[in-house]
Amino acid sequence: MFKPLSRSGAPFALASLIALVAIAGPVQAQDTARMDRLVQTSADADAFSGSVLVARDGEILLDRGYGLANREWRIPNDGDTKFRLGSLTKQFTAVAIMILNERGLVDLDAPVKTWVADAPPAWDQVTVRRLLAHTAGVPNFTSFDDFQSLKTLPVTVDDLIARFRDHPLDFQPGEGRKYSNSGYVLLTAVIEKASGKSYAEFLSEALFTPLGMSDSGYDSNASVLPRRASGYAPSAKGVVNADYWDMSIPQGAGGLYSTTHDLLKWEQGLFGGRLLSPASLALLTTPVRDQYAFGVFVAKAQGQTTIAHSGGLDGFNTYMAYDPDRRMTVVVLGNLNGAAPDLLGASLLAFARDEADASGTTAVAPDTLQAYSGVYALTPTSSITVSVENDQLTSQATGQDAMALIPQSADVFRQSEAGAETTFLRSASGAVTGLIFSHDGRDSIAQKE
């Protein structure tokens, strides 16, 4: 994720979000009211501000804005509000590279020095393919000690490359994987040199225009952009305006803006075969290492496939996921820094999948159960501890007895003695990061510590 800032402040900016939420009527995973209420609770607690869209097989289940796009003018968010995407940008950059590859202009296995002048000898094995999958070893410039002092200064792509070109590689190309915004800055240079156009121009021509994405583009501090959200951050004194970034810095690693409506067009167009050949799309979404493919994580867990990524810049956090088996899209765009978009995105995906079956059971391998174990914070003073005992998953809330969890379907368990249900949440990379506890028509989210 493009996130040089810390996302601290989130764990218990979420304390109110985690309060139990009353839901009228039967609790069903596909219930739009349930999704809406969960997000609204986060917004009411000032843990989330942004726009949300959930769609399944062409049907929009939830399409709403929450909180304010501009707090000074009390302007609300909605599906046409433009948000900075952060690292959601990377999949657009990856698709642009694949298009150039299909046109015969970019060889994925060619060294980046083909397009980058004066590349150091250490980059001889740094190929386009390795940059796409973060396996090139190029160090991440947003993690350098001087980044915070430089993020306000305008730069060119060549200026950015100069910041990291003389740093030693983190590992030999192809021998590891480490997330690197620097790699996607290099891919920006490849796109510009191979296409003969600026990054912004090429994406507009090759991606946005064909899909009718008229509310998407490369962000600019100088441009007057209608319906652009302002970015905010939590602080000890309450919500404040986020730090300034010069938007020449993120480039193809994190510089785009879009709306939830446009991102639905993106998911439908990309996975509907309107941009890439089947072979290129398969390559784009085939994990190379540690579940990372080209610009997206592709996680397979409990029989489910999730193609997802999240993003973060000062003032913005984002999450987008696609389930190819159900043709399902979840988009959460936030203009208040914090973990809420990731947690809400995973929750909405779990709800929309609608796989819970309280009348049946399913088998879960003992080694899989270990991924769920841990402590999940409900509030600063209460939590749920999930443990594995004799190949059986148990759940114990603060001050309560432990109870067995009986698997129902993918990541969904029924609490045997209390009539409750626990749905585990996963990050874009597939790691278990939280849970939803449902009981007596009430839901709460708990974040894994």
Side-chain angles (χ1 to χ4, degrees):
M1 183 180 305
F2 199 102
K3 55 180 184 83
L5 72 160
S6 168
R7 286 171 67 174
S8 63
F12 291 112
L14 289 175
S16 299
L17 157 66
I18 286 163
L20 295 178
V21 182
I23 306 294
V27 178
Q28 298 179 4
Q30 78 275 18
D31 188 351
T32 299
R34 183 186 188 191
M35 298 182 194
D36 179 45
R37 192 63 167 276
L38 196 67
V39 182
Q40 186 62 58
T41 300
S42 179
D44 290 345
D46 227 356
F48 174 70
S49 173
S51 299
V52 173
L53 187 145
V54 181
R56 183 176 56 215
D57 200 19
E59 177 188 2
I60 293 178
L61 305 179
L62 179 64
D63 178 10
R64 266 204 63 188
Y66 301 83
L68 299 172
N70 185 284
R71 294 186 177 227
E72 286 88 349
W73 288 94
R74 308 293 297 174
I75 298 170
N77 284 309
D78 63 23
D80 294 319
T81 304
K82 300 179 177 74
F83 296 83
R84 290 178 177 173
L85 298 184
S87 281
L88 295 191
T89 298
K90 289 182 172 66
Q91 62 192 274
F92 295 87
T93 300
V95 172
I97 289 287
M98 297 305 294
I99 289 173
L100 290 168
N101 173 253
E102 289 185 352
R103 295 179 183 179
L105 297 174
V106 172
D107 179 350
L108 299 185
D109 294 310
V112 72
K113 68 180 182 180
T114 305
W115 299 276
V116 177
D118 302 322
W123 289 7
D124 285 354
Q125 301 304 312
V126 172
T127 64
V128 172
R129 187 186 302 271
R130 287 168 174 164
L131 291 171
L132 286 166
H134 298 296
T135 59
V138 179
N140 181 23
F141 77 98
T142 61
S143 298
F144 293 174
D145 291 341
D146 62 355
F147 179 75
Q148 291 299 317
S149 64
L150 297 175
K151 69 183 182 181
T152 62
L153 304 178
V155 293
T156 65
V157 174
D158 288 342
D159 291 336
L160 283 174
I161 293 172
R163 290 188 186 180
F164 55 82
R165 75 186 320 144
D166 295 325
H167 286 249
L169 295 176
D170 288 334
F171 50 83
Q172 287 304 302
E175 295 184 4
R177 187 189 76 82
K178 188 174 181 181
Y179 195 87
S180 175
N181 291 305
S182 302
Y184 274 73
V185 170
L186 287 171
L187 291 172
T188 305
V190 172
I191 290 169
E192 294 189 336
K193 295 292 177 60
S195 70
K197 302 177 185 296
S198 72
Y199 175 84
E201 290 170 337
F202 185 74
L203 264 66
S204 178
E205 171 194 288
L207 306 183
F208 302 142
T209 298
L211 297 183
M213 296 173 63
S214 57
D215 288 327
S216 302
Y218 192 90
D219 202 7
S220 164
N221 301 97
S223 297
V224 175
L225 185 62
R227 304 186 67 82
R228 175 168 52 191
S230 299
Y232 300 96
S235 78
K237 297 181 179 180
V239 174
V240 298
N241 288 307
D243 283 353
Y244 175 83
W245 270 63
D246 191 281
M247 289 305 294
S248 62
I249 292 172
Q251 296 293 327
L256 297 182
Y257 68 83
S258 191
T259 68
T260 55
H261 291 165
D262 262 14
L263 291 177
L264 177 60
K265 294 177 183 178
W266 169 253
E267 296 285 59
Q268 291 176 334
L270 175 62
F271 293 102
R274 295 180 57 191
L275 295 175
L276 298 175
S277 69
S280 293
L281 182 60
L283 186 57
L284 182 89
T285 56
T286 298
V288 175
R289 194 167 187 147
D290 302 332
Q291 299 185 315
Y292 204 88
F294 292 172
V296 289
F297 285 96
V298 181
K300 296 180 183 292
Q302 296 292 83
Q304 298 175 150
T305 299
T306 305
I307 302 170
H309 214 290
S310 51
L313 290 166
D314 286 87
F316 298 87
N317 287 102
T318 58
Y319 173 95
M320 181 164 64
Y322 185 77
D323 179 333
D325 299 319
R326 299 164 183 80
R327 294 195 297 174
M328 182 184 300
T329 297
V330 174
V331 184
V332 182
L333 304 181
N335 63 322
L336 174 63
N337 281 138
D342 284 345
L343 285 173
L344 290 173
S347 302
L348 295 169
L349 187 62
F351 286 167
R353 275 175 163 149
D354 189 23
E355 291 195 344
D357 179 5
S359 63
T361 61
T362 186
V364 179
D367 57 343
T368 301
L369 293 177
Q370 290 294 340
Y372 301 122
S373 63
V375 178
Y376 298 77
L378 281 166
T379 72
T381 59
S382 65
S383 61
I384 295 174
T385 300
V386 176
S387 306
V388 180
E389 300 176 7
N390 300 320
D391 294 337
Q392 169 70 60
L393 204 63
T394 65
S395 173
Q396 184 173 17
T398 301
Q400 304 294 320
D401 293 332
M403 295 189 179
L405 294 180
I406 301 170
Q408 303 298 294
S409 59
D411 292 333
V412 179
F413 292 75
R414 178 168 53 85
Q415 194 162 297
S416 58
E417 300 174 39
E421 184 177 273
T422 297
T423 303
F424 289 95
L425 307 177
R426 294 181 181 271
S427 68
S429 64
V432 176
T433 56
L435 61 78
I436 308 167
F437 179 72
S438 305
H439 182 51
D440 287 340
R442 301 162 70 90
D443 294 329
S444 60
I445 297 178
Q447 187 174 17
K448 194 174 187 181
E449 295 182 344

